[in-house]
Short mmCIF file of all heavy atoms in Angstrom, two decimals:
data_model
loop_
_atom_site.label_atom_id
_atom_site.label_comp_id
_atom_site.label_asym_id
_atom_site.label_seq_id
_atom_site.Cartn_x
_atom_site.Cartn_y
_atom_site.Cartn_z
N MET Y 364 39.35 9.22 -18.11
CA MET Y 364 38.29 10.07 -18.56
C MET Y 364 36.96 9.30 -18.65
O MET Y 364 35.90 9.79 -18.37
CB MET Y 364 38.61 10.59 -19.96
CG MET Y 364 37.63 11.59 -20.47
SD MET Y 364 37.78 13.15 -19.74
CE MET Y 364 36.72 14.10 -20.79
N SER Y 365 37.07 8.04 -19.12
CA SER Y 365 35.82 7.17 -19.18
C SER Y 365 35.23 6.94 -17.83
O SER Y 365 34.07 6.81 -17.66
CB SER Y 365 36.07 5.96 -19.93
OG SER Y 365 37.04 5.13 -19.21
N ALA Y 366 36.08 6.77 -16.74
CA ALA Y 366 35.54 6.49 -15.45
C ALA Y 366 34.79 7.77 -14.98
O ALA Y 366 33.78 7.68 -14.26
CB ALA Y 366 36.65 6.18 -14.49
N ARG Y 367 35.23 8.95 -15.38
CA ARG Y 367 34.60 10.18 -14.92
C ARG Y 367 33.20 10.31 -15.60
O ARG Y 367 32.26 10.79 -14.95
CB ARG Y 367 35.50 11.38 -15.24
CG ARG Y 367 34.96 12.66 -14.75
CD ARG Y 367 35.96 13.72 -14.97
NE ARG Y 367 35.51 14.92 -14.27
CZ ARG Y 367 35.93 16.15 -14.62
NH1 ARG Y 367 36.82 16.29 -15.50
NH2 ARG Y 367 35.50 17.16 -13.92
N ILE Y 368 33.16 10.00 -16.84
CA ILE Y 368 31.81 9.91 -17.54
C ILE Y 368 30.86 8.94 -16.91
O ILE Y 368 29.66 9.24 -16.72
CB ILE Y 368 31.99 9.67 -19.07
CG1 ILE Y 368 32.73 10.83 -19.72
CG2 ILE Y 368 30.63 9.51 -19.69
CD1 ILE Y 368 33.12 10.61 -21.13
N ALA Y 369 31.34 7.81 -16.51
CA ALA Y 369 30.52 6.78 -15.94
C ALA Y 369 29.91 7.25 -14.60
O ALA Y 369 28.83 6.84 -14.21
CB ALA Y 369 31.31 5.47 -15.72
N ARG Y 370 30.52 8.15 -13.89
CA ARG Y 370 30.02 8.61 -12.65
C ARG Y 370 29.20 9.92 -12.82
O ARG Y 370 28.55 10.41 -11.97
CB ARG Y 370 31.16 8.96 -11.67
CG ARG Y 370 31.90 7.75 -11.25
CD ARG Y 370 32.99 8.12 -10.25
NE ARG Y 370 33.80 6.97 -10.09
CZ ARG Y 370 35.04 7.08 -9.53
NH1 ARG Y 370 35.56 8.24 -9.16
NH2 ARG Y 370 35.76 6.02 -9.38
N GLY Y 371 29.19 10.44 -14.04
CA GLY Y 371 28.48 11.73 -14.34
C GLY Y 371 26.96 11.43 -14.47
O GLY Y 371 26.53 10.34 -14.26
N PRO Y 372 26.27 12.38 -14.99
CA PRO Y 372 24.79 12.26 -15.20
C PRO Y 372 24.48 11.15 -16.14
O PRO Y 372 23.42 10.42 -15.97
CB PRO Y 372 24.41 13.59 -15.77
CG PRO Y 372 25.62 14.56 -15.61
CD PRO Y 372 26.71 13.75 -15.28
N ILE Y 373 25.29 11.01 -17.20
CA ILE Y 373 24.91 9.93 -18.21
C ILE Y 373 25.12 8.58 -17.62
O ILE Y 373 24.24 7.65 -17.76
CB ILE Y 373 25.79 10.14 -19.47
CG1 ILE Y 373 25.43 11.41 -20.17
CG2 ILE Y 373 25.62 8.93 -20.44
CD1 ILE Y 373 26.39 11.74 -21.31
N GLY Y 374 26.19 8.39 -16.79
CA GLY Y 374 26.40 7.14 -16.12
C GLY Y 374 25.30 6.77 -15.12
O GLY Y 374 24.84 5.69 -15.04
N ARG Y 375 24.91 7.83 -14.38
CA ARG Y 375 23.87 7.56 -13.43
C ARG Y 375 22.51 7.26 -14.12
O ARG Y 375 21.78 6.34 -13.68
CB ARG Y 375 23.62 8.86 -12.53
CG ARG Y 375 24.70 9.00 -11.48
CD ARG Y 375 24.38 10.06 -10.51
NE ARG Y 375 24.07 11.34 -11.08
CZ ARG Y 375 24.85 12.40 -11.15
NH1 ARG Y 375 26.06 12.24 -10.60
NH2 ARG Y 375 24.47 13.49 -11.69
N PHE Y 376 22.26 7.93 -15.24
CA PHE Y 376 21.07 7.68 -15.98
C PHE Y 376 21.07 6.19 -16.57
O PHE Y 376 20.10 5.49 -16.47
CB PHE Y 376 20.91 8.65 -17.15
CG PHE Y 376 19.71 8.34 -18.00
CD1 PHE Y 376 18.47 8.66 -17.56
CD2 PHE Y 376 19.89 7.84 -19.27
CE1 PHE Y 376 17.37 8.44 -18.42
CE2 PHE Y 376 18.78 7.57 -20.09
CZ PHE Y 376 17.54 7.91 -19.63
N ALA Y 377 22.18 5.82 -17.05
CA ALA Y 377 22.31 4.43 -17.63
C ALA Y 377 22.17 3.36 -16.53
O ALA Y 377 21.67 2.33 -16.85
CB ALA Y 377 23.67 4.36 -18.35
N SER Y 378 22.59 3.62 -15.32
CA SER Y 378 22.53 2.62 -14.23
C SER Y 378 21.25 2.67 -13.51
O SER Y 378 20.97 1.81 -12.60
CB SER Y 378 23.75 2.72 -13.40
OG SER Y 378 23.69 3.93 -12.66
N ASP Y 379 20.49 3.70 -13.72
CA ASP Y 379 19.20 3.92 -12.97
C ASP Y 379 18.14 2.93 -13.48
O ASP Y 379 17.74 2.93 -14.66
CB ASP Y 379 18.70 5.30 -13.01
CG ASP Y 379 17.48 5.62 -12.24
OD1 ASP Y 379 17.30 4.83 -11.23
OD2 ASP Y 379 16.88 6.64 -12.34
N ARG Y 380 17.60 2.12 -12.57
CA ARG Y 380 16.62 1.11 -13.00
C ARG Y 380 15.24 1.35 -12.50
O ARG Y 380 14.29 0.65 -12.77
CB ARG Y 380 16.98 -0.28 -12.48
CG ARG Y 380 18.37 -0.73 -13.00
CD ARG Y 380 18.19 -1.12 -14.40
NE ARG Y 380 19.50 -1.53 -14.94
CZ ARG Y 380 19.93 -1.31 -16.15
NH1 ARG Y 380 19.16 -0.66 -16.99
NH2 ARG Y 380 21.07 -1.73 -16.55
N THR Y 381 15.06 2.56 -11.81
CA THR Y 381 13.72 2.84 -11.22
C THR Y 381 12.67 3.08 -12.33
O THR Y 381 11.50 2.77 -12.31
CB THR Y 381 13.75 4.01 -10.33
OG1 THR Y 381 14.34 5.10 -11.00
CG2 THR Y 381 14.57 3.69 -9.07
N GLY Y 382 13.13 3.69 -13.47
CA GLY Y 382 12.13 3.95 -14.56
C GLY Y 382 11.70 2.67 -15.23
O GLY Y 382 10.57 2.53 -15.57
N ALA Y 383 12.61 1.70 -15.35
CA ALA Y 383 12.22 0.40 -15.95
C ALA Y 383 11.20 -0.27 -15.04
O ALA Y 383 10.26 -0.84 -15.53
CB ALA Y 383 13.40 -0.52 -16.04
N THR Y 384 11.41 -0.16 -13.73
CA THR Y 384 10.41 -0.74 -12.81
C THR Y 384 9.02 -0.15 -12.91
O THR Y 384 8.01 -0.77 -12.94
CB THR Y 384 10.92 -0.74 -11.40
OG1 THR Y 384 12.21 -1.28 -11.28
CG2 THR Y 384 9.98 -1.36 -10.39
N ALA Y 385 9.02 1.18 -12.98
CA ALA Y 385 7.77 1.91 -13.14
C ALA Y 385 7.01 1.49 -14.46
O ALA Y 385 5.83 1.35 -14.52
CB ALA Y 385 8.03 3.46 -13.10
N ILE Y 386 7.79 1.35 -15.54
CA ILE Y 386 7.23 0.94 -16.86
C ILE Y 386 6.61 -0.47 -16.70
O ILE Y 386 5.59 -0.76 -17.24
CB ILE Y 386 8.25 1.06 -18.00
CG1 ILE Y 386 8.56 2.56 -18.16
CG2 ILE Y 386 7.76 0.37 -19.16
CD1 ILE Y 386 9.66 2.77 -19.18
N GLU Y 387 7.35 -1.32 -16.02
CA GLU Y 387 6.83 -2.72 -15.92
C GLU Y 387 5.57 -2.72 -15.09
O GLU Y 387 4.57 -3.37 -15.40
CB GLU Y 387 7.90 -3.54 -15.15
CG GLU Y 387 9.11 -3.85 -15.98
CD GLU Y 387 10.26 -4.43 -15.18
OE1 GLU Y 387 10.13 -4.52 -13.95
OE2 GLU Y 387 11.30 -4.80 -15.81
N TYR Y 388 5.50 -1.92 -13.99
CA TYR Y 388 4.19 -1.79 -13.26
C TYR Y 388 3.04 -1.26 -14.04
O TYR Y 388 1.94 -1.69 -13.95
CB TYR Y 388 4.39 -1.00 -11.96
CG TYR Y 388 5.10 -1.83 -10.86
CD1 TYR Y 388 6.18 -1.29 -10.18
CD2 TYR Y 388 4.77 -3.08 -10.46
CE1 TYR Y 388 6.87 -1.98 -9.22
CE2 TYR Y 388 5.34 -3.75 -9.47
CZ TYR Y 388 6.45 -3.20 -8.86
OH TYR Y 388 7.09 -3.94 -7.91
N ALA Y 389 3.41 -0.23 -14.90
CA ALA Y 389 2.43 0.35 -15.74
C ALA Y 389 1.88 -0.61 -16.75
O ALA Y 389 0.65 -0.74 -17.08
CB ALA Y 389 3.01 1.57 -16.48
N LEU Y 390 2.73 -1.51 -17.31
CA LEU Y 390 2.35 -2.58 -18.28
C LEU Y 390 1.48 -3.53 -17.57
O LEU Y 390 0.44 -4.02 -18.16
CB LEU Y 390 3.59 -3.21 -18.86
CG LEU Y 390 4.27 -2.34 -19.89
CD1 LEU Y 390 5.62 -3.07 -20.31
CD2 LEU Y 390 3.42 -2.01 -21.08
N ILE Y 391 1.79 -3.90 -16.39
CA ILE Y 391 0.96 -4.92 -15.56
C ILE Y 391 -0.35 -4.32 -15.29
O ILE Y 391 -1.38 -5.03 -15.54
CB ILE Y 391 1.69 -5.32 -14.31
CG1 ILE Y 391 2.94 -6.20 -14.68
CG2 ILE Y 391 0.74 -6.12 -13.46
CD1 ILE Y 391 3.94 -6.40 -13.52
N ALA Y 392 -0.43 -3.07 -14.92
CA ALA Y 392 -1.64 -2.36 -14.61
C ALA Y 392 -2.57 -2.33 -15.86
O ALA Y 392 -3.74 -2.47 -15.80
CB ALA Y 392 -1.40 -1.02 -14.02
N THR Y 393 -1.93 -2.09 -16.96
CA THR Y 393 -2.63 -2.02 -18.28
C THR Y 393 -3.27 -3.26 -18.64
O THR Y 393 -4.40 -3.36 -19.06
CB THR Y 393 -1.73 -1.45 -19.30
OG1 THR Y 393 -1.17 -0.19 -18.98
CG2 THR Y 393 -2.46 -1.36 -20.72
N LEU Y 394 -2.49 -4.38 -18.48
CA LEU Y 394 -3.00 -5.66 -18.78
C LEU Y 394 -4.17 -6.10 -17.90
O LEU Y 394 -5.14 -6.63 -18.37
CB LEU Y 394 -1.88 -6.76 -18.70
CG LEU Y 394 -0.80 -6.69 -19.80
CD1 LEU Y 394 0.36 -7.63 -19.49
CD2 LEU Y 394 -1.39 -6.96 -21.14
N ILE Y 395 -4.10 -5.71 -16.63
CA ILE Y 395 -5.20 -6.03 -15.66
C ILE Y 395 -6.39 -5.24 -16.07
O ILE Y 395 -7.53 -5.78 -16.09
CB ILE Y 395 -4.71 -5.80 -14.27
CG1 ILE Y 395 -3.64 -6.77 -13.80
CG2 ILE Y 395 -5.90 -5.81 -13.30
CD1 ILE Y 395 -3.01 -6.51 -12.53
N SER Y 396 -6.24 -3.96 -16.42
CA SER Y 396 -7.31 -3.14 -16.87
C SER Y 396 -8.02 -3.67 -18.12
O SER Y 396 -9.24 -3.72 -18.18
CB SER Y 396 -6.82 -1.74 -17.13
OG SER Y 396 -6.27 -1.15 -15.96
N VAL Y 397 -7.23 -4.15 -19.07
CA VAL Y 397 -7.78 -4.72 -20.24
C VAL Y 397 -8.61 -6.02 -19.95
O VAL Y 397 -9.67 -6.21 -20.45
CB VAL Y 397 -6.71 -4.97 -21.35
CG1 VAL Y 397 -7.18 -5.86 -22.44
CG2 VAL Y 397 -6.13 -3.66 -21.84
N ALA Y 398 -8.05 -6.84 -19.06
CA ALA Y 398 -8.76 -8.01 -18.63
C ALA Y 398 -10.07 -7.68 -17.96
O ALA Y 398 -11.06 -8.37 -18.24
CB ALA Y 398 -7.87 -8.88 -17.76
N ILE Y 399 -9.99 -6.72 -17.18
CA ILE Y 399 -11.30 -6.32 -16.44
C ILE Y 399 -12.31 -5.80 -17.47
O ILE Y 399 -13.53 -6.14 -17.39
CB ILE Y 399 -10.96 -5.27 -15.42
CG1 ILE Y 399 -10.30 -5.92 -14.25
CG2 ILE Y 399 -12.27 -4.54 -14.89
CD1 ILE Y 399 -9.78 -4.95 -13.16
N VAL Y 400 -11.90 -4.97 -18.41
CA VAL Y 400 -12.81 -4.50 -19.38
C VAL Y 400 -13.43 -5.52 -20.31
O VAL Y 400 -14.63 -5.63 -20.49
CB VAL Y 400 -12.13 -3.35 -20.30
CG1 VAL Y 400 -12.94 -2.94 -21.48
CG2 VAL Y 400 -11.85 -2.12 -19.44
N LEU Y 401 -12.58 -6.46 -20.68
CA LEU Y 401 -13.05 -7.57 -21.50
C LEU Y 401 -14.04 -8.44 -20.74
O LEU Y 401 -15.04 -8.89 -21.21
CB LEU Y 401 -11.85 -8.42 -22.03
CG LEU Y 401 -11.02 -7.75 -23.07
CD1 LEU Y 401 -9.78 -8.62 -23.40
CD2 LEU Y 401 -11.80 -7.41 -24.38
N GLY Y 402 -13.66 -8.71 -19.47
CA GLY Y 402 -14.58 -9.53 -18.62
C GLY Y 402 -15.90 -8.79 -18.44
O GLY Y 402 -16.97 -9.47 -18.51
N ALA Y 403 -15.86 -7.58 -18.12
CA ALA Y 403 -17.09 -6.80 -17.90
C ALA Y 403 -17.98 -6.76 -19.13
O ALA Y 403 -19.21 -6.88 -19.06
CB ALA Y 403 -16.80 -5.40 -17.41
N THR Y 404 -17.27 -6.64 -20.33
CA THR Y 404 -18.09 -6.57 -21.55
C THR Y 404 -18.77 -7.93 -21.88
O THR Y 404 -19.90 -8.00 -22.26
CB THR Y 404 -17.14 -6.29 -22.74
OG1 THR Y 404 -16.51 -5.02 -22.50
CG2 THR Y 404 -17.83 -6.21 -24.04
N ALA Y 405 -18.01 -9.03 -21.60
CA ALA Y 405 -18.57 -10.36 -21.83
C ALA Y 405 -19.74 -10.64 -20.85
O ALA Y 405 -20.77 -11.18 -21.26
CB ALA Y 405 -17.50 -11.42 -21.64
N LEU Y 406 -19.54 -10.25 -19.61
CA LEU Y 406 -20.59 -10.50 -18.59
C LEU Y 406 -21.79 -9.54 -18.77
O LEU Y 406 -22.92 -9.87 -18.51
CB LEU Y 406 -20.08 -10.28 -17.21
CG LEU Y 406 -19.20 -11.41 -16.64
CD1 LEU Y 406 -18.58 -11.12 -15.27
CD2 LEU Y 406 -19.92 -12.74 -16.62
N GLY Y 407 -21.53 -8.29 -19.35
CA GLY Y 407 -22.50 -7.31 -19.51
C GLY Y 407 -23.61 -7.84 -20.47
O GLY Y 407 -24.83 -7.62 -20.20
N GLY Y 408 -23.25 -8.48 -21.54
CA GLY Y 408 -24.25 -9.02 -22.45
C GLY Y 408 -25.05 -10.07 -21.84
O GLY Y 408 -26.30 -10.16 -21.97
N GLN Y 409 -24.45 -10.98 -21.07
CA GLN Y 409 -25.14 -12.08 -20.43
C GLN Y 409 -26.05 -11.46 -19.31
O GLN Y 409 -27.23 -11.96 -19.08
CB GLN Y 409 -24.12 -13.06 -19.81
CG GLN Y 409 -23.36 -13.81 -20.80
CD GLN Y 409 -22.26 -14.72 -20.13
OE1 GLN Y 409 -22.08 -14.62 -19.01
NE2 GLN Y 409 -21.68 -15.56 -20.99
N LEU Y 410 -25.55 -10.49 -18.60
CA LEU Y 410 -26.42 -9.87 -17.56
C LEU Y 410 -27.64 -9.24 -18.13
O LEU Y 410 -28.73 -9.26 -17.52
CB LEU Y 410 -25.61 -8.90 -16.68
CG LEU Y 410 -24.70 -9.54 -15.70
CD1 LEU Y 410 -23.94 -8.44 -14.97
CD2 LEU Y 410 -25.49 -10.33 -14.61
N GLY Y 411 -27.45 -8.63 -19.32
CA GLY Y 411 -28.58 -8.00 -19.93
C GLY Y 411 -29.69 -9.00 -20.33
O GLY Y 411 -30.83 -8.81 -20.14
N VAL Y 412 -29.22 -10.15 -20.76
CA VAL Y 412 -30.24 -11.24 -21.09
C VAL Y 412 -30.90 -11.73 -19.82
O VAL Y 412 -32.19 -11.94 -19.85
CB VAL Y 412 -29.52 -12.42 -21.73
CG1 VAL Y 412 -30.42 -13.63 -21.92
CG2 VAL Y 412 -29.04 -12.00 -23.14
N VAL Y 413 -30.21 -11.90 -18.70
CA VAL Y 413 -30.78 -12.34 -17.51
C VAL Y 413 -31.80 -11.35 -16.98
O VAL Y 413 -32.93 -11.70 -16.59
CB VAL Y 413 -29.73 -12.58 -16.39
CG1 VAL Y 413 -30.32 -12.84 -15.01
CG2 VAL Y 413 -28.88 -13.84 -16.79
N PHE Y 414 -31.45 -10.05 -17.01
CA PHE Y 414 -32.37 -9.03 -16.46
C PHE Y 414 -33.56 -8.90 -17.41
O PHE Y 414 -34.65 -8.60 -16.84
CB PHE Y 414 -31.64 -7.69 -16.28
CG PHE Y 414 -30.75 -7.67 -15.01
CD1 PHE Y 414 -29.45 -7.39 -15.05
CD2 PHE Y 414 -31.36 -7.87 -13.76
CE1 PHE Y 414 -28.67 -7.38 -13.95
CE2 PHE Y 414 -30.67 -7.88 -12.61
CZ PHE Y 414 -29.27 -7.65 -12.69
N GLN Y 415 -33.41 -9.02 -18.68
CA GLN Y 415 -34.52 -8.96 -19.56
C GLN Y 415 -35.54 -10.09 -19.29
O GLN Y 415 -36.72 -9.87 -19.30
CB GLN Y 415 -34.13 -8.99 -21.02
CG GLN Y 415 -35.20 -8.71 -21.99
CD GLN Y 415 -35.93 -7.35 -21.81
OE1 GLN Y 415 -35.25 -6.37 -21.70
NE2 GLN Y 415 -37.18 -7.36 -21.73
N GLY Y 416 -34.96 -11.27 -19.03
CA GLY Y 416 -35.85 -12.45 -18.72
C GLY Y 416 -36.59 -12.15 -17.37
O GLY Y 416 -37.77 -12.54 -17.30
N LEU Y 417 -35.89 -11.61 -16.36
CA LEU Y 417 -36.61 -11.36 -15.10
C LEU Y 417 -37.66 -10.24 -15.34
O LEU Y 417 -38.77 -10.40 -14.79
CB LEU Y 417 -35.59 -10.76 -14.06
CG LEU Y 417 -34.66 -11.84 -13.49
CD1 LEU Y 417 -33.59 -11.25 -12.65
CD2 LEU Y 417 -35.46 -12.79 -12.70
N ALA Y 418 -37.39 -9.20 -16.18
CA ALA Y 418 -38.34 -8.18 -16.44
C ALA Y 418 -39.56 -8.76 -17.18
O ALA Y 418 -40.77 -8.37 -16.88
CB ALA Y 418 -37.70 -7.12 -17.28
N ASP Y 419 -39.38 -9.64 -18.07
CA ASP Y 419 -40.51 -10.28 -18.76
C ASP Y 419 -41.43 -11.16 -17.77
O ASP Y 419 -42.57 -11.14 -17.87
CB ASP Y 419 -39.96 -11.19 -19.88
CG ASP Y 419 -39.32 -10.42 -21.04
OD1 ASP Y 419 -39.54 -9.21 -21.11
OD2 ASP Y 419 -38.55 -11.08 -21.82
N LYS Y 420 -40.71 -11.78 -16.83
CA LYS Y 420 -41.45 -12.62 -15.87
C LYS Y 420 -42.28 -11.67 -14.95
O LYS Y 420 -43.38 -11.96 -14.54
CB LYS Y 420 -40.54 -13.49 -15.04
CG LYS Y 420 -39.98 -14.59 -15.86
CD LYS Y 420 -38.99 -15.51 -15.02
CE LYS Y 420 -38.42 -16.60 -15.90
NZ LYS Y 420 -37.49 -17.42 -15.15
N VAL Y 421 -41.70 -10.56 -14.52
CA VAL Y 421 -42.38 -9.61 -13.72
C VAL Y 421 -43.56 -9.03 -14.42
O VAL Y 421 -44.68 -8.95 -13.81
CB VAL Y 421 -41.45 -8.48 -13.14
CG1 VAL Y 421 -42.22 -7.30 -12.52
CG2 VAL Y 421 -40.45 -9.06 -12.25
N VAL Y 422 -43.46 -8.63 -15.63
CA VAL Y 422 -44.54 -8.14 -16.47
C VAL Y 422 -45.60 -9.24 -16.56
O VAL Y 422 -46.83 -8.97 -16.45
CB VAL Y 422 -44.10 -7.59 -17.80
CG1 VAL Y 422 -45.23 -7.37 -18.76
CG2 VAL Y 422 -43.22 -6.39 -17.65
N ALA Y 423 -45.27 -10.47 -16.88
CA ALA Y 423 -46.21 -11.56 -17.10
C ALA Y 423 -46.91 -11.84 -15.72
O ALA Y 423 -48.08 -12.14 -15.65
CB ALA Y 423 -45.56 -12.73 -17.59
N ALA Y 424 -46.25 -11.70 -14.62
CA ALA Y 424 -46.85 -11.92 -13.31
C ALA Y 424 -47.80 -10.80 -12.92
O ALA Y 424 -48.85 -11.08 -12.23
CB ALA Y 424 -45.79 -12.09 -12.21
N GLY Y 425 -47.62 -9.70 -13.42
CA GLY Y 425 -48.50 -8.54 -13.15
C GLY Y 425 -49.75 -8.54 -13.92
O GLY Y 425 -50.64 -7.76 -13.66
N GLN Y 426 -49.85 -9.35 -15.02
CA GLN Y 426 -50.92 -9.36 -15.86
C GLN Y 426 -52.03 -10.30 -15.29
O GLN Y 426 -51.70 -11.40 -14.80
CB GLN Y 426 -50.63 -9.78 -17.30
CG GLN Y 426 -49.76 -8.76 -18.03
CD GLN Y 426 -49.28 -9.22 -19.35
OE1 GLN Y 426 -49.53 -10.38 -19.78
NE2 GLN Y 426 -48.63 -8.27 -20.09
N PRO Y 427 -53.28 -9.85 -15.40
CA PRO Y 427 -54.32 -10.78 -14.85
C PRO Y 427 -54.47 -12.06 -15.73
O PRO Y 427 -54.27 -12.09 -16.88
CB PRO Y 427 -55.62 -9.99 -14.97
CG PRO Y 427 -55.28 -8.88 -15.90
CD PRO Y 427 -53.88 -8.71 -15.94
N SER Y 428 -54.78 -13.18 -15.02
CA SER Y 428 -54.97 -14.47 -15.69
C SER Y 428 -56.31 -14.44 -16.37
O SER Y 428 -57.27 -13.94 -15.86
CB SER Y 428 -54.99 -15.61 -14.61
OG SER Y 428 -53.78 -15.64 -13.96
N PRO Y 429 -56.43 -15.15 -17.55
CA PRO Y 429 -57.74 -15.14 -18.18
C PRO Y 429 -58.71 -16.04 -17.54
O PRO Y 429 -58.52 -16.91 -16.87
CB PRO Y 429 -57.36 -15.66 -19.58
CG PRO Y 429 -55.99 -16.15 -19.58
CD PRO Y 429 -55.38 -15.68 -18.31
#
């Protein structure tokens, strides 16, 4: 009887590893996404400072010299 259960739907479900692989790929994709968001956030602040400096220089260059 136990051999019959092992071949039935429960046995197939217990031996099926495709769901575990999909979950592993989902976790890897999530970690990569978090790393991208954190990197973009860190660079975003620095880029804001760089562009503000450039904007200040453009404004200063457009003003007439005394």
Side-chain angles (χ1 to χ4, degrees):
M364 183 78 168
S365 63
R367 188 173 187 201
I368 293 174
R370 292 183 193 162
I373 296 173
R375 285 192 306 258
F376 178 75
S378 65
D379 187 14
R380 299 289 178 214
T381 57
T384 303
I386 291 172
E387 290 169 355
Y388 283 129
L390 288 172
I391 291 170
T393 301
L394 289 174
I395 291 171
S396 300
V397 168
I399 289 171
V400 168
L401 290 176
T404 302
L406 287 176
Q409 292 174 352
L410 284 176
V412 171
V413 169
F414 283 122
Q415 186 60 47
L417 287 172
D419 293 342
K420 288 179 182 178
V421 168
V422 169
Q426 295 176 351
S428 299

